[in-house]
Amino acid sequence: MDFTFTEEQQAAVEAAKAVFSSVTPDSVPSPALTAGAVAEDFDRALWRKLAESDLLGLSLDPQYGGSGLDPLALCLVLRECGRVLARVPLLESSAAALAVQRYGGAELRTAVLPRAASGELVLTTASSGRTGHGPAELAVQARRNGDGWVLDGVQTAVPWAHGAERVLIPAHTGEGRTILALVPRDHEGVVLDEQISTSGERQAEIRLDGVRLADREVLASDGAWEWLRDLLTTGTCALALGLGSAVLDLTSSYVSEREQFGFPLASFQAVAVQTADRYIDLRAMEATLWQAAWRLSLDEERPTASGALPIAGDVAVAKIWAAEGVRRVVQTAQHLHGGFGAVTDYPLHRYHAWGKQLELSLGSAAAHEEALGELLAAHPLG
């Protein structure tokens, strides 16, 4: 197998590194010192730079102003985004735009995608459901009304909702089907209540009360929600990998310079073993992430190898490693930094908060292991 990234994918990484090189994790007030949100809006200046570097339309077709790359390239850029805790809805907006491209009608694609690629139109997604537990699609009900749809329900913890123009929301029809509705934030019947994430960012509980949408604003194709959910999860794993890599670099630098008893901390065996274990965690996170991203990037008509698990299996494995790995990396970093890790003018505490937010977003590793076991039982390997 060839694990080498293509020239186009590597170019996307270099462009992302150039854009994110000016970003500092401490660009907003500390979540530990702020009662409310650390900022009212996401980083608009950084968003414009991403648009100018053609990174917002990275995976969109050239006809819509994109670069035509695959979700794997998007995950590579998200990894760089996670390294610096970039405060932009890159994952959510990109995933929503890709879902529209893949499952939306021609009229919706033409209206949405060029503006999303240029950064003019900001999208986000709702994927937490009513409480953060259970299937997100069951939190909102969609019913037919003439030539359109009516939505009722609640979605919680919607990231960047106050700064996005449209929210892509899953909803169930009561007939065992799930649709995706692209809902304008200021649409009649839509109410946003502010919530604050563990990382201090502004989120929203979105309540839908008789929200009416035309057919063209709804993605009703089978598999649309499952594909979007897998992409969001894999992208979150990429953010976790970037964050974990930055934290390990920060820790390695600290223990190499900090001395006890006249010797650097890094020279002590107990410290070396702990950092080596976290390095192994990151390599496992990386391998499982690229496997899931590669499966997402395969053409939908390309046959799956005989006996292979559905893509949900690869995503579950990536989630298990990302959720557990990012927690262990951050906890070890805090332990090895001692009290210095809690100093609010040092960036580790902010990485800790973001790492916990990503861990919560991914969910319990035990639950993913159970789901993977059920999948293996239903699809015995050939």
Side-chain angles (χ1 to χ4, degrees), residues 78-257:
L78 289 169
R79 180 189 61 182
E80 302 308 314
C81 186
R83 286 183 189 273
V84 297
L85 309 183
R87 301 182 52 262
V88 287
L90 180 60
L91 168 58
E92 295 80 10
S93 194
S94 298
L98 271 171
V100 170
Q101 176 175 273
R102 190 179 178 99
Y103 298 102
E107 184 178 355
L108 185 64
R109 293 197 302 268
T110 302
V112 168
L113 299 184
R115 297 174 63 210
S118 69
E120 177 187 354
L121 180 67
V122 181
L123 309 174
T124 191
T125 57
S127 59
S128 296
R130 188 182 186 92
T131 64
H133 303 282
E137 66 273 18
L138 300 183
V140 176
Q141 182 179 16
R143 64 181 187 277
R144 271 290 188 181
N145 182 38
D147 58 353
W149 296 84
V150 178
L151 306 179
D152 293 280
V154 177
Q155 287 281 347
T156 193
V158 180
W160 317 110
H162 293 277
E165 279 75 37
R166 294 198 182 191
V167 185
L168 193 59
I169 299 177
H172 71 98
T173 65
E175 303 168 352
R177 294 181 61 236
T178 299
I179 65 168
L180 292 172
L182 194 60
V183 181
R185 182 194 61 199
D186 57 357
H187 198 285
E188 183 179 357
V190 176
V191 177
L192 272 64
D193 292 325
E194 185 179 70
Q195 296 176 317
I196 308 300
S197 72
T198 302
S199 58
E201 297 298 336
R202 198 179 183 204
Q203 296 186 336
E205 179 183 83
I206 296 181
R207 290 184 282 120
L208 309 173
D209 184 10
V211 175
R212 297 177 180 272
L213 294 178
D215 254 345
R216 64 178 178 275
E217 298 172 291
V218 172
L219 315 182
S221 301
D222 291 338
W225 163 235
E226 290 76 13
W227 185 88
L228 174 63
R229 182 180 59 199
D230 286 343
L231 178 58
L232 288 170
T233 301
T234 305
T236 303
C237 292
L239 292 171
L241 174 62
L243 183 149
S245 300
V247 168
L248 187 60
D249 289 344
L250 195 67
T251 305
S252 298
S253 176
Y254 178 80
V255 298
S256 296
E257 298 172 1

